[in-house]
Amino acid sequence: MTRRIVVDTDTGIDDAHTLLYLAGRPDAEIVAVTSVYGNCEEPDAARNIGYVTRLLGLDVPIARGAARPLAGVASIAGHVHGKDGLGDLGYDRPMPEVASETAAELLVRLAAEHPGELDLLALGPLTNLAAALRLDPDLFTRYRSVVLMGGSGPYAPPGTLLMIDANVNNDPEAARAVFAAPRHRLVMVGVNVTGTTILDERAIAALRASPRATFATEILDAYLDFYQNEWGRRIIPLHDPLAAGILLDPGFATGWIDGPVNVRTDGFLSRARLMRTHDGLPPAFPYEAAPDTRVITSVDAPRFVADFVGVLTR
């Protein structure tokens, strides 16, 4: 079965990889793409959508979305993805032709026109989704599924540290609205699992050896420059691509828990967490009731990485 997917993206390096991956999967059809700030400023995200879709020969609606969170100021990850979001390699990125409606309006209209037929894949801060929920509070019940790259899973075992989840941390208010909304199915693919899905030296060499993966490997270096400080190796996690992979093939997920997700802050970072400890117990504090979210807790990382490399080199 072909999944028809609307992609909401802050088009940085792993977002571009995700669009390449979706376009290469025979069971995926990208039907529209919306831009949001995050990995880069929103105008750059829109330009990058245009660049990648032209590269792929895709003629799909593009709608521009939020340039800042619902409250506060945006934290732009130029130090990770390059100022332009694609590694500052000087690509010619004119602003593409965009829809007259906003990203939020497009998300609402497509769901109303095709109820139960489309999947929504959110790869950036959740500001556009929250804005769309203000227009249609039942929006998520009209999508076949909503899959988002964000969140931190259940509470980790004591002494365990997690990567920062920039997507939720960039707009906690929007994330709260998303996790509280009625839905048909909402799937959270968080840093607890994306951080384990590593494109290692061998996989990167396979990409570099393929003429079909030229663009994918050109934009890798800025990302590798950042992540070498995490592990001392020039390797990267496949954050956004894993969310797309699980949308298309739920079998990539080997463990999950259905339960309420809250957005909590420690005064420094905001995280979306399943309200369960690592051993399945409720947390030691009161929390807000919320509809069940499917929270991915483990994945078959080798199988997914092999599929990702195989798709991009075919």
Side-chain angles (χ1 to χ4, degrees), residues 65 75 172 225:
S75 177
D225 289 346

Side-chain angles (χ1 to χ4, degrees), residues 140-160:
F140 292 170
T141 68
R142 309 187 206 288
Y143 279 96
R144 184 184 180 279
S145 72
V146 180
V147 178
L148 59 92
M149 191 276 116
S152 300
Y155 282 89
T160 302

